[in-house]
Amino acid sequence: MKKSIVLLMSIGFLATMILAACGGGGDSRVAIGPAGSGTQAAATVILEGAGIEEGDYEAYEEGFGNARDGLQDGNIDVSFGLLGLPAGSVNDLQANTGDAKLIGLTEDEIQYAQDELGYLPYTISADSYDFLEEDVETVTAYAVLVGNTNTIDHELGYELARVSVEHADENTHAQSDHMTLENALSGAEGLPVHPGAAEYYEEQGLDVSGDVADVAASEADRPDELILGTGSSGGTYYPLGGEMATVWNNHIDGVNVTSTETGASVENLASIGRDEQDLGMTVHVPALNAFNGEEDFEGAAVENFAFIGHIYPEVMQIITREATEIESLEDLK
């Protein structure tokens, strides 16, 4: 009898060790992005599509800067990040640990994200990072700039759009390469377009097919100080937004734009809705939710914002380390 008990205990211990080595066991520590961010909204849906329930992992509401540090220190196993490609934070993790790894999504997981989020399939090519040995399948959305129609008047909307495109070469951030006239309306579908931005794009020969927003702001009452909501310091929004603000300040007379660290997309839209911000960087999907009063904005649609321009494609990057031995989202169960 004692031998049987010892044998069963040994088998149980061995099974536990095997589960731990495979990244299972329901105790994986997952950074899903800051509360109110597009990253968190997308991460929770993607996990749901993989059959991962809340009790299957321990959630950390971290920006990618803190999440990267957690990955580096071994305190976080997996981090979700809607980031530009390549992302400096991912390169930093590889430089500091030497074993960074991206987790790919299955066809079913990608389809679920497409159906539920409106995100599109995306292939991270093997040459995106030095440590990648093969392509990684994931999803992407568009990062866009939106403005508060109570503070961004017609002429200012025009200038913000014009300067963003015509002086993009003065922005040293890698993602500014996507701020071109060709891409200018990417992510605008379904959103109201600021009339000033619409005027500029139409002058350049683009077809602005969406609805043009009404603005309450007037040039005479334009504030001297404007606030641009970005994202967490470890992500793409924060440094890119800082440079965008500098370029605007250099080329738009009488205006000073200050960029500020925030929880990113959802928080920026909500802050604009409360007239606490003038400009915001956001993923186009939560912007659609805000406009339509859905998901995080159910029953509380944001009516005072308008699309000003495309910034860059945001790629969902699911980062871990080789040391975790996690190969797929299924390993989080």
Side-chain angles (χ1 to χ4, degrees):
M1 182 68 174
K2 290 183 179 179
K3 290 183 178 180
S4 297
I5 293 173
V6 171
L7 179 59
L8 287 171
M9 291 177 63
S10 299
I11 292 173
F13 177 77
L14 180 60
T16 300
M17 293 300 291
I18 292 172
L19 281 171
C22 293
D27 56 357
S28 297
R29 298 158 298 180
V30 181
I32 59 174
S37 69
T39 292
Q40 183 171 133
T44 53
V45 170
I46 290 170
L47 287 164
E48 179 182 281
I52 310 297
E53 300 177 354
E54 288 186 7
D56 293 329
Y57 63 96
E58 185 176 355
Y60 288 77
E61 295 184 326
E62 300 284 1
F64 195 70
N66 290 336
R68 176 202 58 211
D69 293 342
L71 284 166
Q72 181 176 323
D73 298 338
N75 297 321
I76 287 176
D77 300 309
V78 174
S79 174
F80 283 75
L82 275 174
L83 304 166
L85 192 67
S89 297
V90 177
N91 279 324
D92 288 346
L93 177 66
Q94 172 62 13
N96 291 327
T97 67
D99 71 340
K101 180 167 67 174
L102 295 185
I103 297 173
L105 299 178
T106 66
E107 289 185 9
D108 288 344
E109 290 163 358
I110 290 171
Q111 188 62 55
Y112 191 86
Q114 191 168 358
D115 293 343
E116 298 296 320
L117 294 168
Y119 282 35
L120 302 173
Y122 191 90
T123 300
I124 300 175
S125 63
D127 60 4
S128 298
Y129 295 107
D130 291 341
F131 62 85
L132 287 183
E133 297 180 355
E134 58 185 17
D135 294 348
V136 176
E137 301 305 322
T138 186
V139 292
T140 192
Y142 294 113
V144 300
L145 175 71
V146 297
N148 186 334
T149 55
N150 291 330
T151 60
I152 305 298
D153 59 83
H154 186 109
E155 181 62 24
L156 183 53
Y158 181 101
E159 286 299 298
L160 289 166
R162 182 188 68 80
V163 170
S164 295
V165 171
E166 296 181 7
H167 294 277
D169 60 342
E170 298 175 24
N171 190 322
T172 65
H173 196 287
Q175 300 309 319
S176 67
D177 291 345
H178 300 283
M179 297 172 68
T180 64
L181 192 61
E182 180 182 10
N183 297 332
L185 293 173
S186 295
E189 185 175 356
L191 294 175
V193 180
H194 194 284
E199 180 183 351
Y200 171 71
Y201 296 137
E202 287 174 342
E203 286 180 356
Q204 307 310 308
L206 298 184
D207 179 20
V208 180
S209 57
D211 293 336
V212 175
D214 293 324
V215 297
S218 67
E219 187 172 354
D221 297 326
R222 181 187 299 172
D224 293 333
E225 301 287 336
L226 299 172
I227 301 299
L228 166 68
T230 60
S232 65
S233 60
T236 302
Y237 281 7
Y238 185 72
L240 176 57
E243 295 217 24
M244 290 168 61
T246 297
V247 173
W248 290 327
N249 292 338
N250 288 341
H251 294 281
I252 303 177
D253 293 336
V255 168
N256 184 59
V257 181
T258 300
S259 62
T260 185
E261 182 177 2
T262 70
S265 296
V266 175
E267 182 179 329
N268 290 338
L269 290 159
S271 294
I272 287 175
R274 295 190 298 268
D275 284 326
E276 296 172 354
Q277 283 180 196
D278 306 288
L279 297 162
M281 301 169 75
T282 177
V283 179
H284 80 279
V285 174
L288 284 169
N289 291 336
F291 180 64
N292 294 317
E294 299 172 347
E295 300 294 335
D296 291 294
F297 300 91
E298 186 172 356
V302 180
E303 300 178 348
N304 63 316
F305 81 95
F307 174 95
I308 293 177
H310 166 267
I311 305 175
Y312 69 96
E314 284 208 313
V315 181
M316 177 55 80
Q317 297 175 60
I318 308 172
I319 307 101
T320 185
R321 292 177 55 189
E322 296 287 352
T324 67
E325 300 189 17
I326 295 173
E327 301 292 336
S328 67
L329 293 183
E330 188 174 343
D331 290 338
L332 300 180
K333 293 182 180 179

